[in-house]
Amino acid sequence: LAGIPAPILLWPNCAPEAVPDANGAFTDEDKPAIYAFPAPASNNTGLAFLVMPGGGFTNRVMDTEGVQIARFLNRQGISGFVLRYRIGPNYPRRTVSTIDAHRAMRYLRAHAADYKIDPDRIGVIGFSAGAELAGDAFYNSVLDGDARATDPLDRFSTKANFAALIYGGRNPQNPAASPPTFLFNTVEDDGHLRVEIQVLNALRAAGVPVEAHFYQDGPHGTTMSLGDPQLGQW
């Protein structure tokens, strides 16, 4: 589509644990990638977000929870990188999508100079299943860089410098090591609100900066709610 950048494959040859189809071919669904939306040079702050759309790990809402978010960030001088992570039915194990998210963060750090972003100011924003993925990858299984790794990207840490969990998340196993976090949900979206309250309380108890915006009305998946006088505030 016009204005949508070409995907950048996170493993140009073959991703680990990739599953070919019945004919032995690999499709785009087997090739995790990012779509890069660098901030305009005129207002680039050096900040960046890895954007993880939701979709229940069976699809990805790449428009309103991906491209629209990246373009909004661009207007604020922030670079956005939308992640195409692997999903079911071929990849039912969440560990595979976690591998993809880790690889994306390492890619951004390795190429920070190319995108004119600060490698120590890269955050993550996830929606619904994307927020669960953020919890899996950037709260509960952070990996340090290995200076001796043969793959140059593995030399970089997967740590997120800050995070936004939008109607979803995971209860952090080590709250004190969690990144500063922004939370958004509605009270009506009860099931996802519960886990966000767990995140809020755990981070508060650990002294990690956390800010929560919970609104009374609104179903699950409200995205940016552009033009809504209440939900659009976040």
Side-chain angles (χ1 to χ4, degrees):
L1 297 176
I4 305 298
I8 300 168
L9 299 184
L10 294 175
W11 286 275
N13 296 321
C14 183
E17 302 190 39
V19 178
D21 64 16
N23 297 317
F26 293 97
T27 72
D28 285 350
E29 289 301 313
D30 309 306
K31 302 173 183 178
I34 59 170
Y35 296 82
F37 293 82
S42 59
N43 68 337
N44 185 6
T45 63
L47 286 162
F49 269 101
L50 177 63
V51 182
M52 292 171 288
F57 291 100
T58 58
N59 61 71
R60 292 174 302 270
V61 186
M62 295 292 280
D63 47 7
T64 57
E65 294 179 352
V67 172
Q68 187 179 99
I69 305 305
R71 286 175 167 163
F72 171 83
L73 292 170
N74 285 174
R75 295 194 292 272
Q76 321 309 315
I78 302 169
S79 296
F81 301 87
V82 182
L83 176 61
R84 184 176 78 195
Y85 56 93
R86 284 173 285 180
I87 55 178
N90 284 351
Y91 303 96
R93 293 190 302 111
R94 304 292 169 82
T95 53
V96 174
S97 53
T98 298
I99 290 170
D100 298 344
H102 283 165
R103 182 73 170 183
M105 179 60 75
R106 284 174 158 163
Y107 179 90
L108 295 183
R109 287 214 162 93
H111 293 271
D114 300 332
Y115 293 111
K116 296 180 173 54
I117 59 177
D118 186 335
D120 295 320
R121 300 174 77 199
I122 302 175
V124 296
I125 180 169
F127 296 78
S128 190
E132 294 178 13
L133 175 54
D136 292 337
F138 303 110
Y139 288 75
N140 294 336
S141 61
V142 177
L143 301 176
D144 294 327
D146 181 357
R148 297 171 297 179
T150 55
D151 187 328
L153 265 63
D154 289 341
R155 299 169 191 170
F156 293 87
S157 168
T158 67
K159 180 180 176 63
N161 298 113
F162 44 87
L165 304 180
I166 312 302
Y167 40 78
R170 294 274 197 243
N171 198 17
Q173 297 172 3
N174 183 10
S178 299
T181 298
F182 175 96
L183 302 167
F184 166 77
N185 215 319
T186 66
V187 175
E188 183 179 339
D189 184 16
D190 181 66
H192 297 88
L193 178 66
R194 293 177 192 176
V195 69
E196 290 216 340
I197 290 175
Q198 291 177 334
V199 175
L200 172 64
N201 289 336
L203 268 55
R204 288 184 64 225
V208 175
V210 57
E211 179 174 326
H213 292 244
F214 299 150
Y215 294 85
Q216 179 65 40
D217 299 318
H220 181 66
T222 56
T223 67
M224 291 183 68
S225 299
L226 294 174
D228 188 299
Q230 294 298 319
L231 296 180
Q233 294 181 60
W234 76 267

